[in-house]
Structure formats: structure tokens, C-alpha cells
Amino acid sequence: MALSTGDVHADPGLEVVLWSARGVFAWRPRAQEKAGRFARLAEVDLLWQVAPDDGVLLWRAGVSDVGGDGLPDLLVPEPGGYRVFVQSRGAEGAVFTAEPRLALDPALLASTAAPRVETSDSILPGDSAGARYFDLSFGGSPGVRASNGPLLTLDAELPAPQLFDWDEDGDQDCLAQTARELLVWRLGGKAEEAPLRIALPFEVDRGRKLDVSYAAAVAEIDGDGRADCVIFAGDKRASDVRTQVLVFTHAGDKDGEPPLFGAAGRPAQLLVLAGFAGDPRLSDVNGDGRPDLIAGAMRPDLLETLTGGGETIELELDVFLNGKGRFSAKPDLAARVHVAAEALDGGVAARFVADVSGDGVQDLLVRGTEEIALHVVRPKRGGGLELLSKPVWTLAVGEDDDVEVEAPGQLLLLGKGGVKHVELGP
């Protein structure tokens, strides 16, 4: 089971959207009758994503306002492409209508995977973007009938889609990344048209596939209303461990050249981080409305022992503020925090979640081995930001609990005992 949240029913407030292989449903927490708690939104052919063991897959990209009318729509990955279900409201309540499928030619998929990324609304997903393939296996020795296991397995894979305004027309467009190209379907036109194909500045070869720092993020950085891109990649030429941060914007587009990456693939800005980049994000930290660059740098000299359970990693959290379309050359905040090693596999390790102090700056939630702790971040005299070491709030969590940020100031704690909702505020 996968879930999202959004206003997908005529009931006031938000509903929980439940995804299954054949249907999308709304769980109505305010329904008066138990029989009406669940409502089918659409019949789908979902290219199913397997959730972690004993876990729930949170898929926020599946519910988004595509047309800008204030009503969230559904984005569904299908075998061979994607489909948007547009929401409308009438006398019968919320209705979802399927748009023509955004078909993806299998020839566009390469055999190497797209970048591993962390969960974020601004991160281009793509845990695997390999070509379709057959895995044929026979069990048992010759002449002996196999007692169990598949005779034939067919895997169908797609790059995970992301909705973002590509061309400043007010509509969300569909973006997906393969190992060689960024694909863009402009949804303001005819949805059945082939995607715009933009070559990446470098090919995701087998070596890049194994790069633990490799990730790609999309956000509107420079204020022109068009999607920009930030790519994180390990510096293969450096003698020590470094991560390059390559910032590409539409501001430098030239006639006759591919948009965003240009003909030469030169970034508008290049930053270098010491160590491996962990959990890179683009999010507004200082409250000025522009996304800032956040990266948790894991330096080899800061790594603690990772054998056994209940241990931590010292993470260097760097924040580069966005000043009119360019990030600071040096971190405006460089803080060391101890996070639970298990948190690096998913969920929250260190995340800016809410402005509880009321100074306009988002405060930092840190996941430890036995608790989550909220630390105030405030403007520093002379410029930059500083992190207060003593937390203003803590909450005990179990070792196996997953902590997710569902919305600003809204936390979900997913554990064996159920789901707990936590709201943070001034």
C-alpha cells in the first residue's frame, strides 16, 4: 500500500489517498457513516512500487494541482507511460477524468540506472530507470519439476515522474529522467505528443550509478518561473572525497541550443562539498520565498563505527542561501549534528521543518537513536545562520519508527504501534 494526502473529496479538509495496483481511493476521516469511509477516485493500471518491509510508501508526487485551479489531480505511472487524472467539482462531488496517456518509448530508456534520490517534493525521482528486460529462470535439475518459484518474470520499469512548471505557463508539466536525458511533457499542449528530450550534461554510466553522492533536484531558483536543476555528483578527479554541486538555470538559454543544460553542459554555478552528499534538498530556510541549498555532507573523518545498532553518524549540515538566483559561495550554516545511522536509509535524518521560534527561519529536526529533537536556527550577527545546540522540544521514538515530514510543521511517525501525527508551530 502507498499513500498520499490531498483535497480529493467534497468533504472539508484533506483526505488520505490510498494507492493500490488497480485503484486509487480516498479515506474520508470526517465521514459520518463507517460504510462511506472509503471512496474510489479512479480505476488505474498502476506500475506498482514495492514499499519497504513492514513499512508504508509515502508518494507525494502522485497528488498535485496540475492545472492551477486549486484542485489536486492524480499522476499515475502505468506500464509504458504516465497518466494524469484531472479533478473537477460538480453536483456529484469530486470527479477524476483521465487525460491521454503520456507515452514513453522504451527506446528512450538506457540500461543504467538514473540517480538515487531522497524523498522530497523538489527532487527528481528515479530509483531505477533501466530498460525493460526478461528474467527467465528454471528451477531444479534436468528432468526434475521445480517445486516453487517463478518460471517467467517480467519487469516493467519507468523513471518516477515529477510535476513542475517547465515553461512558465502556470501549468504543471511532467518531468522524468533517464540515464541520458531529461524528458519533459508540456501538459498545457497536447498530452499525447512526444516529450521534449534534453541531453544530460554527462551520461549516467556504470561508475556514476555507483556514486553514492549522485542525485538531481528540480526547483525554481532564479525567479523566472521556469524549472531549474541542481545535480550532485562525486568529483572523480579529486584525490580526496568531494561532491560537486552543479547548478543549471534557464537564465543562460541561447537560441539554437538545448534549454537548461546548453550545448556544452556548463553549469551557471559550481559548488564543492567536502565528503559525500547526503540527503540533498532545495527548500526555503530563511523565509524569503526562494529555495536554498541544503546538503548533509558525510566526511570520511567524521564517520563513526557503523557495526551494530543504536549508533550515530556525525553529519555536517551545510546550508547555502539563495541570493537572487545564486547560492552563497560558502555555507551560511555549517553545523555538525549526530543522527541515527538507520535514518540514512529513509525518512528524516536532519530536516528543516517549521519556524517555531517566530524569527522567520525554519528550525531543524534531528533524528537520534532514541528521540527526535527540534533545534532553533536563527540569524547570526554579521550574516549567516547559527544552530542552537540545546533542543527546544524532544519526543521519544523507537528504533524501527520512521519519521516523515508530510508538510511544513506536520510530522508522521510510522511504527508497529500505528501512525502518530505531530504538529509543530510557534
Side-chain angles (χ1 to χ4, degrees):
M1 179 67 69
L3 61 85
S4 315
T5 58
D7 183 8
V8 294
H9 197 273
D11 293 345
L14 302 180
E15 289 75 41
V16 177
V17 181
L18 306 175
W19 301 80
S20 72
R22 292 288 178 253
V24 185
F25 302 84
W27 173 44
R28 305 169 53 204
R30 294 174 178 80
Q32 298 298 321
E33 298 181 4
K34 188 176 181 179
R37 284 285 174 91
F38 295 92
R40 179 185 287 269
L41 303 179
E43 185 175 343
V44 300
D45 185 13
L46 183 68
L47 188 61
W48 187 240
Q49 304 295 312
V50 179
D53 293 340
D54 300 324
V56 177
L57 180 68
L58 298 179
W59 189 43
R60 299 173 181 87
V63 180
S64 183
D65 181 9
V66 175
D69 59 359
L71 297 175
D73 308 303
L74 304 177
L75 176 63
V76 181
E78 300 179 335
Y82 315 101
R83 194 180 301 274
V84 175
F85 287 77
V86 177
Q87 182 182 176
S88 59
R89 297 283 177 93
E92 66 279 14
V95 176
F96 288 85
T97 305
E99 293 284 293
R101 190 175 68 163
L102 309 175
L104 179 58
D105 186 344
L108 298 182
L109 297 179
S111 59
T112 52
R116 174 197 60 81
V117 295
E118 304 301 330
T119 55
S120 171
D121 292 340
S122 64
I123 294 288
L124 281 177
D127 283 351
S128 61
R132 293 179 175 182
Y133 61 90
F134 285 96
D135 181 7
L136 184 61
S137 59
F138 296 90
S141 57
V144 178
R145 184 177 179 180
S147 59
N148 52 34
L151 178 64
L152 175 67
T153 300
L154 173 64
D155 286 349
E157 299 184 1
L158 285 175
Q162 180 75 31
L163 292 173
F164 210 90
D165 189 356
W166 171 261
D167 48 14
E168 198 190 2
D169 63 353
D171 293 328
Q172 299 270 42
D173 303 303
C174 183
L175 285 70
Q177 182 180 323
T178 71
R180 295 187 177 93
E181 296 175 311
L182 176 64
L183 307 178
V184 181
W185 286 266
R186 285 168 285 197
L187 301 184
K190 295 182 179 180
E192 66 271 19
E193 290 182 350
L196 176 66
R197 300 171 56 184
I198 306 168
L200 297 177
F202 49 79
E203 182 181 345
V204 186
D205 56 15
R206 191 172 299 274
R208 189 61 68 190
K209 175 183 175 182
L210 300 175
D211 181 1
V212 296
S213 296
Y214 184 44
V218 62
E220 201 284 284
I221 294 173
D222 55 7
D224 64 0
R226 296 179 291 176
D228 303 310
C229 184
V230 179
I231 294 178
F232 302 81
D235 188 350
K236 297 180 179 180
R237 296 172 295 181
S239 57
D240 52 355
V241 179
R242 295 182 182 180
T243 298
Q244 292 183 327
V245 182
L246 299 92
V247 183
F248 297 90
T249 69
H250 279 283
D253 286 357
K254 297 180 181 178
D255 293 338
E257 291 190 1
L260 191 59
F261 301 122
R266 292 193 182 94
Q269 187 178 7
L270 174 65
L271 299 171
V272 178
L273 305 176
F276 304 101
D279 198 24
R281 293 181 179 273
L282 296 175
S283 180
D284 183 11
V285 174
N286 62 352
D288 64 357
R290 293 188 293 264
D292 305 305
L293 173 61
I294 308 164
M298 293 180 289
R299 288 168 33 191
D301 59 315
L302 296 181
L303 294 179
E304 296 183 0
T305 356
L306 294 181
T307 57
E311 293 171 346
T312 61
I313 291 179
E314 191 173 30
L315 190 72
E316 183 171 300
L317 188 70
D318 294 330
V319 176
F320 301 81
L321 296 180
N322 184 345
K324 298 182 179 179
R326 288 185 66 86
F327 298 113
S328 302
K330 295 182 179 180
D332 295 278
L333 173 67
R336 293 185 179 183
V337 294
H338 286 83
V339 302
E342 294 82 2
L344 299 178
D345 292 333
V348 169
R351 188 81 55 83
F352 291 92
V353 294
D355 176 20
V356 299
S357 59
D359 59 4
V361 178
Q362 297 287 300
D363 299 311
L364 184 69
L365 185 75
V366 178
R367 168 67 190 267
T369 55
E370 298 179 351
E371 66 179 16
I372 53 175
L374 187 67
H375 296 259
V376 168
V377 179
R378 65 186 182 187
K380 186 170 59 175
R381 289 184 179 181
L385 304 170
E386 62 179 349
L387 175 72
L388 301 188
S389 58
K390 186 176 181 179
V392 294
W393 174 83
T394 61
L395 179 66
V397 294
E399 181 179 344
D400 297 327
D401 290 346
D402 290 332
V403 181
E404 298 284 349
V405 180
E406 182 58 24
Q410 307 290 323
L411 307 181
L412 290 179
L413 276 62
L414 311 175
K416 294 180 179 180
V419 178
K420 181 182 293 185
H421 174 260
V422 178
E423 184 173 356
L424 303 173

